[in-house]
Amino acid sequence: MMHTRSHLLAALAATGFLFATAPAFAQASGCQEGQKILQERQGLIQQVNKLTNGGKNKQIDPRAACTIFTKLVSNGTTGEKWMTANKDWCQVPDQLIQSFAEDHKRSQQFKGQACGAAAKMAEMEKRAKQGQQQQGGPASKMGGGLTGTLSVPKGAL
């Protein structure tokens, strides 16, 4: 997880570069869509920062990270398409497109790691729940074992 955190911080630093250059192309007429995409991305990165507590958390909830990175990857896909389609009209610098693409690739990797870990957690929780049901379910408390039957004493009470 430490390796992931260092890459995450590097990705966030690269994304900070994107926001520093964003006004250069967002000011052209008809280019507001690009600004919206970058603002949404900035909000998602802030959510990642909160999740990692500014890089101080050693443990990150994979389910929450998976959700945020899924949105970040979707935003990146949209952003790449928009930048490529509007490069000339909105004067999007090649360096910005390249940095955005690299950041998007890192986001995809983090999404894969986070969602993979979340899936493993869900599977482990499912197995633990099944184990509890088999070992300590109501049938065993009543004396019926795994069959779910209850033994009734014979004879006069």
Side-chain angles (χ1 to χ4, degrees), residues 7-22:
H7 284 297
L8 177 62
L9 294 175
L12 296 176
T15 304
F17 167 76
L18 294 178
F19 292 112
T21 59

Side-chain angles (χ1 to χ4, degrees), residues 50-119:
K50 287 179 186 175
L51 189 65
T52 63
N53 194 17
K56 296 177 184 174
N57 278 359
K58 291 183 180 179
Q59 294 293 327
I60 298 172
D61 180 13
R63 290 171 278 207
C66 178
T67 301
I68 294 170
F69 278 111
T70 298
K71 292 176 185 177
L72 194 61
V73 166
S74 176
N75 173 276
T77 301
T78 303
E80 276 189 324
K81 287 178 184 176
W82 184 90
M83 285 182 188
T84 302
N86 295 286
K87 177 183 184 233
D88 295 330
W89 179 254
C90 296
Q91 301 173 355
V92 181
D94 290 333
Q95 187 178 13
L96 177 63
I97 294 171
Q98 183 180 359
S99 296
F100 192 91
E102 290 170 3
D103 181 56
H104 181 57
K105 286 179 186 175
R106 282 190 293 270
S107 297
Q108 290 172 323
Q109 291 172 346
F110 294 136
K111 176 190 177 233
Q113 293 171 355
C115 293

